């Protein structure tokens, strides 16, 4: 039996809280991340990496793939989905390494996991930077628009 502590407790308020609708922006970036993750899974279960003729180092492939997914996480519309998505990307990096264990001619490694994590944080950082630049530009444009007198 779950003891919620009654209507005044934090657990009760959490259980009774109405969920907020998921925004279109969240769905778009989550969809893009899922699509990219599907491509990464597909590549991870191949006997040889399909990108190896084009990107010669395994570390670079991990960083690029996970930076793209980390970028999607950073572009979620609010802080809570961003942090949850970054956690999901890091968890996905672990999952990819586990999935590779039974694949012939592939192996899980700590260095791949580290490269995937670096890529996740790099993509997230780039996305956060882009969001901040756009916010600064929007504020400056808004300030200028308010300051300039309107011509009839």
């Amino acid at each position: 039996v779950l003891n919620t502590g009654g209507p005044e407790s934090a657990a009760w308020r959490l259980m009774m809280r109405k969920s907020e609708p998921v925004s279109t922006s969240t769905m778009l970036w989550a969809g893009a991340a899922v699509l990219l993750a599907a491509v990464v899974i597909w590549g991870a279960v191949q006997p040889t990496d399909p990108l190896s003729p084009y990107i010669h180092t395994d570390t670079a492939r991990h960083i690029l793939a996970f930076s793209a997914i980390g970028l999607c996480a950073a572009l979620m519309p609010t802080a809570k989905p961003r942090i949850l998505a970054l956690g999901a990307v890091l968890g996905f990096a672990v999952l990819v390494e586990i999935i590779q264990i039974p694949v012939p001619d592939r192996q899980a490694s700590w260095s791949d996991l580290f490269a995937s994590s670096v890529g996740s944080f790099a993509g997230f950082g780039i996305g956060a930077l882009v969001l901040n630049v756009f916010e600064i530009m929007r504020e400056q444009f808004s300030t200028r628009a308010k300051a300039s007198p309107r011509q009839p």
Side-chain angles (χ1 to χ4, degrees), residues 28-43:
L28 286 172
W29 289 115
V34 167
L35 182 65
L36 290 167
V39 171
V40 168
I41 291 278
W42 173 79

Side-chain angles (χ1 to χ4, degrees), residues 74-90:
L75 296 177
M76 294 285 187
T78 60
K80 185 177 179 181
R82 284 181 200 139
I83 299 304
L84 291 173
L86 179 60
V89 173
L90 294 170

Side-chain angles (χ1 to χ4, degrees), residues 63-120:
I63 290 172
L64 287 172
F66 280 87
S67 65
I69 302 171
L71 177 67
C72 291
L75 296 177
M76 294 285 187
T78 60
K80 185 177 179 181
R82 284 181 200 139
I83 299 304
L84 291 173
L86 179 60
V89 173
L90 294 170
F92 177 65
V94 173
L95 179 66
V96 167
E97 293 307 311
I98 292 170
I99 286 172
Q100 287 185 338
I101 292 171
V103 177
D105 298 326
R106 299 299 288 266
Q107 60 185 10
S109 74
W110 289 108
S111 62
D112 287 351
L113 181 58
F114 180 74
S116 298
S117 299
V118 166
S120 300

Side-chain angles (χ1 to χ4, degrees), residues 2-80:
L2 177 65
N3 182 3
T4 61
E8 296 82 30
S9 73
W12 179 268
R13 287 190 306 272
L14 183 63
M15 284 181 7
M16 301 315 277
R17 184 178 70 176
K18 293 184 179 184
S19 62
E20 298 174 14
V22 177
S23 72
T24 303
S25 176
T26 299
M27 293 301 291
L28 286 172
W29 289 115
V34 167
L35 182 65
L36 290 167
V39 171
V40 168
I41 291 278
W42 173 79
V45 298
Q46 302 301 310
T48 58
D49 194 324
L51 290 178
S52 58
Y54 310 103
I55 304 169
H56 299 293
T57 65
D58 189 45
T59 301
R61 290 190 296 271
H62 279 267
I63 290 172
L64 287 172
F66 280 87
S67 65
I69 302 171
L71 177 67
C72 291
L75 296 177
M76 294 285 187
T78 60
K80 185 177 179 181

